[in-house]
Amino acid sequence: MQQQPIILVFYQNLRFHDQPLLLEVLQHTQPIIPIFINDPKVIERLGEASQWWLYQSIRAFKQQWKSAYNIELILRTGDSVRVLQQLLQETNANKIYLGKRYTKLEREIDERIYEELNRDGITIKFFNTHLLFEPANIKNQQGNSFQIFTPFWKTCLTKTIEADLPAPDHIFNGYNQPINSDDLSDWKWGHSQAAWTRKLANHWHLSELAALNKLAIFLKNSLAGYNNNRDLIASPSFSSQLSPYLRWGQISAKKIFNEVIHTMERDPTIQQDGNTFLKEIGWREFSYYLLYHHPSMQEVPLNKRFQDFPYENNLSLLEKWQKGTTGFPIIDAGMRQLWLEGWMPNRLRMIVASFLIKDLLINWQFGQAWFIDTLVDADPANNANSWQWVAGCGTDASPYFRIFNPITQGKKFDSEGKYIRKYVPELKDLPTKYIHQPWEMPITLQEEYNVIIGKDYPHPIVDHTIQKNKALDCWKEFKGKGYLAG
Ligand SMILES: Cc1cc2nc3c(=O)[nH]c(=O)nc-3n(C[C@H](O)[C@H](O)[C@H](O)COP(=O)(O)OP(=O)(O)OC[C@H]3O[C@@H](n4cnc5c(N)ncnc54)[C@H](O)[C@@H]3O)c2cc1C
């Protein structure tokens, strides 16, 4: 008779390298049953771009299991606890290993798994597959949690980061009895009805190998210079573009961290670039840390007083922002890249977020929701923390009165308008002098370049200077009422 199997649950850890679940399996001789659970409560919360990414990644991961170990990745649909309960009964498994998760909903589900199934000789173990550090383990000298990034990251850097594990070359035993599995093509997630997600395939290769290659190419070609170049949005390789792979665990944060350290050891001239890059990985850690300590971070401002901020929430302006038809070329280029590719550089994310919140006086949560739907890297922690940062309502936020000027930001980070020309093709032939302010072009030039403002490209939907002053007045009045005191 075959030994009792171990169930391995995969969700946002779709990889073989640095996979503690597999390391743990090596301690035993038992056969394994890897599974992905299509829990509607979890999947429905994802945006369409994330559903698209996850769906394709499951397919790639299933093939990897088959080709590397000749084992089926089982697919099942339903409430996670019930699915696992059923599988325990069917297979007589006695262990379940899972990757730890951090959103409120996922934590509740994982707690239920533990409470309801960790009995009758069943062992349930959760492993940190997603972060460098467990949020609960990082505390200040008083034993409290950090609110500010810099001391948090300094403390993290005093801790040892373990070596990441290579993909095991061990032969795993599969469970030798037939087990029912759904057919992936029967999973009709929201994205399958949304034609727009299909074009994302033109921009991304989705697999663990693609993620590892992307890291290697970035370290070879772009880490040197990262400190200065990462905001230069017109250059295609200014940043790693690893964010969706990190979100879905096709690459581990530990793997990235250690590879960067090794690269820095080999080349002492890139210390600053390396440290700046590691700091960004640190911001990701901090976002998860905040989410862990403030599970409602996606729904409410961390600074509760901002709950009453007098946003105007004009939905027609929101739609123009979403569609990239604001009449501000840099904003429109960013929003159109997002729609085309499911991704946008960090600098652009900051500019469009500031524009939405401050120029249009729209609550950051509308922006967060649009990003959740359209970003392939839509991350519950990074997205919420970054929106709160721009809105000035996070724990360690940019102050509300810091308002980006979309014209000067465009001139500074896309000086020749290369990025704008790529994503707003109706402006591609404009002289550089007008690329950031096409409305200033004399009518004769508008005719010459076939871009009549108001017809071929919109007038700016707001006057930045007026809106900036209005936003500042709102803030002063709000502050004057004592909302921000204390
Ligand atoms: C309004 C707004 C919303 C955002 N939403 C998301 C989101 O949903 N998902 C997401 O992963 N990032 C988000 N970010 C953070 C950042 O813009 C992206 O992580 C980054 O642009 C991803 O590109 P990259 O992988 O090339 O980054 P790189 O510069 O190569 O950085 C490497 C990794 O570090 C992490 N990182 C980089 N910058 C940040 C940051 N500011 N905060 C937290 N982690 C960071 C990411 O995991 C990234 O992949 C948001 C930023 C803003 C301003």
Side-chain angles (χ1 to χ4, degrees):
M1 205 177 121
Q2 200 179 20
Q3 284 181 291
Q4 287 178 290
I6 304 174
I7 298 172
L8 308 178
V9 184
F10 291 92
Y11 175 61
Q12 54 184 1
N13 50 338
L14 306 174
R15 63 168 185 269
F16 287 93
H17 75 272
D18 199 24
Q19 187 51 268
L21 276 66
L22 294 180
L23 184 73
E24 183 72 13
V25 164
L26 294 180
Q27 313 300 315
H28 309 274
T29 52
Q30 293 170 260
I32 54 174
I33 303 173
I35 181 171
F36 182 96
I37 302 172
N38 172 27
D39 186 332
K41 278 205 283 308
V42 175
I43 301 301
E44 279 162 14
R45 292 265 176 120
L46 302 175
E48 288 176 350
S50 295
Q51 288 181 344
W52 173 81
W53 186 284
L54 180 56
Y55 188 91
Q56 314 301 330
S57 305
I58 295 166
R59 178 180 304 166
F61 195 51
K62 195 166 167 54
Q63 279 164 2
Q64 249 180 304
W65 269 105
K66 192 76 192 158
S67 59
Y69 304 111
N70 197 24
I71 290 178
E72 287 295 335
L73 173 70
I74 301 299
L75 308 178
R76 292 258 176 121
T77 299
D79 171 76
S80 302
V81 180
R82 298 293 152 248
V83 166
L84 289 173
Q85 213 159 32
Q86 172 76 25
L87 197 58
L88 286 171
Q89 274 170 14
E90 285 173 27
T91 63
N92 196 26
N94 67 353
K95 297 186 180 71
I96 303 179
Y97 298 162
L98 313 92
K100 234 177 169 178
R101 305 187 289 181
Y102 299 91
T103 68
K104 195 161 60 167
L105 173 71
E106 291 160 357
R107 276 165 72 177
E108 281 164 11
I109 293 174
D110 290 345
E111 273 160 29
R112 276 183 52 225
I113 290 176
Y114 192 80
E115 278 161 19
E116 295 189 32
L117 306 181
N118 189 32
R119 54 168 83 129
D120 305 330
I122 310 288
T123 306
I124 314 275
K125 277 194 185 176
F126 289 92
F127 295 86
N128 174 2
T129 59
H130 203 57
L131 300 175
L132 297 175
F133 304 102
E134 264 309 324
N137 297 344
I138 306 289
K139 297 202 168 105
N140 66 17
Q141 280 173 349
Q142 291 72 44
N144 302 322
S145 62
F146 287 100
Q147 304 297 319
I148 306 287
F149 172 73
T150 304
F152 163 82
W153 188 232
K154 266 193 184 156
T155 303
C156 288
L157 290 176
T158 62
K159 310 223 172 256
T160 308
I161 293 179
E162 298 150 16
D164 49 278
L165 315 160
D169 50 11
H170 185 88
I171 306 291
F172 292 104
N173 292 327
Y175 183 65
N176 66 6
Q177 303 295 315
I179 312 176
N180 288 341
S181 170
D182 294 353
D183 195 333
L184 184 61
S185 57
D186 290 337
W187 288 2
K188 301 292 177 215
W189 290 356
H191 79 277
S192 58
Q193 319 300 328
W196 77 274
T197 54
R198 275 176 223 139
K199 64 192 167 14
L200 299 174
N202 299 331
H203 299 280
W204 300 97
H205 297 291
L206 276 76
S207 68
E208 177 175 359
L209 186 63
L212 293 169
N213 284 341
K214 226 175 176 44
L215 173 65
I217 292 169
F218 172 75
L219 294 177
K220 185 162 173 264
N221 300 336
S222 308
L223 183 61
Y226 176 81
N227 193 42
N228 291 328
N229 299 343
R230 69 200 182 105
D231 279 331
L232 298 179
I233 50 186
S235 153
S237 59
F238 48 83
S239 72
S240 71
Q241 301 198 5
L242 283 168
S243 48
Y245 302 95
L246 265 167
R247 161 66 177 105
W248 291 108
Q250 276 117 357
I251 196 160
S252 85
K254 236 189 267 169
K255 167 86 181 159
I256 297 178
F257 191 96
N258 289 331
E259 290 290 330
V260 172
I261 295 285
H262 295 153
T263 311
M264 288 164 74
E265 281 165 359
R266 285 195 297 270
D267 181 355
T269 65
I270 57 162
Q271 297 310 304
Q272 198 182 0
D273 294 316
N275 285 328
T276 305
F277 185 78
L278 292 180
K279 203 157 116 188
E280 298 307 331
I281 302 293
W283 271 104
R284 174 178 180 272
E285 289 289 309
F286 189 55
S287 298
Y288 272 91
Y289 184 81
L290 290 178
L291 181 63
Y292 178 82
H293 288 288
H294 307 277
S296 301
M297 188 170 92
Q298 291 171 285
E299 291 100 48
V300 289
L302 290 169
N303 179 344
K304 299 274 183 309
R305 297 179 182 99
F306 266 87
Q307 240 157 349
D308 298 314
F309 194 84
Y311 292 113
E312 291 181 347
N313 298 336
N314 179 323
L315 297 185
S316 131
L317 293 180
L318 173 68
E319 198 182 330
K320 291 189 165 73
W321 177 83
Q322 290 170 333
K323 289 193 167 151
T325 54
T326 66
F328 288 90
I330 197 73
I331 304 287
D332 294 343
M335 297 309 290
R336 292 191 204 181
Q337 183 188 13
L338 176 60
W339 187 245
L340 268 178
E341 300 175 11
W343 189 87
M344 204 198 285
N346 181 59
R347 171 60 47 180
L348 248 299
R349 295 185 200 206
M350 291 196 291
I351 301 171
V352 300
S354 169
F355 185 80
L356 183 81
I357 298 166
K358 292 159 189 182
D359 287 59
L360 304 185
L361 278 173
I362 293 179
N363 192 322
W364 60 274
Q365 278 161 317
F366 286 92
Q368 177 186 238
W370 185 250
F371 272 26
I372 287 177
D373 214 19
T374 53
L375 275 173
V376 286
D377 65 26
D379 184 288
N382 273 355
N383 198 33
N385 186 36
S386 302
W387 276 97
Q388 296 222 26
W389 184 86
V390 178
C393 57
T395 55
D396 186 3
S398 166
Y400 179 85
F401 54 76
R402 183 171 175 215
I403 299 179
F404 281 131
N405 178 328
I407 302 153
T408 50
Q409 287 285 307
K411 285 181 178 167
K412 189 165 173 197
F413 297 108
D414 183 30
S415 56
E416 289 166 22
K418 239 168 113 181
Y419 178 80
I420 291 174
R421 290 174 211 282
K422 179 169 177 193
Y423 292 105
V424 189
E426 62 267 38
L427 303 182
K428 75 177 182 343
D429 297 323
L430 256 52
T432 301
K433 179 174 176 199
Y434 295 110
I435 193 77
H436 298 285
Q437 290 147 291
W439 60 89
E440 290 191 346
M441 248 190 332
I443 188 70
T444 48
L445 280 184
Q446 294 187 23
E447 283 165 359
E448 186 183 332
Y449 289 105
N450 278 327
V451 184
I452 307 295
I453 300 303
K455 176 169 162 276
D456 303 308
Y457 184 71
H459 286 289
I461 53 171
V462 289
D463 179 312
H464 171 69
T465 312
I466 295 176
Q467 292 306 107
K468 178 183 167 181
N469 291 335
K470 190 170 166 187
L472 288 176
D473 287 345
C474 266
W475 182 71
K476 278 183 208 141
E477 199 186 320
F478 184 63
K479 201 170 154 220
K481 285 182 183 162
Y483 281 117
L484 301 179

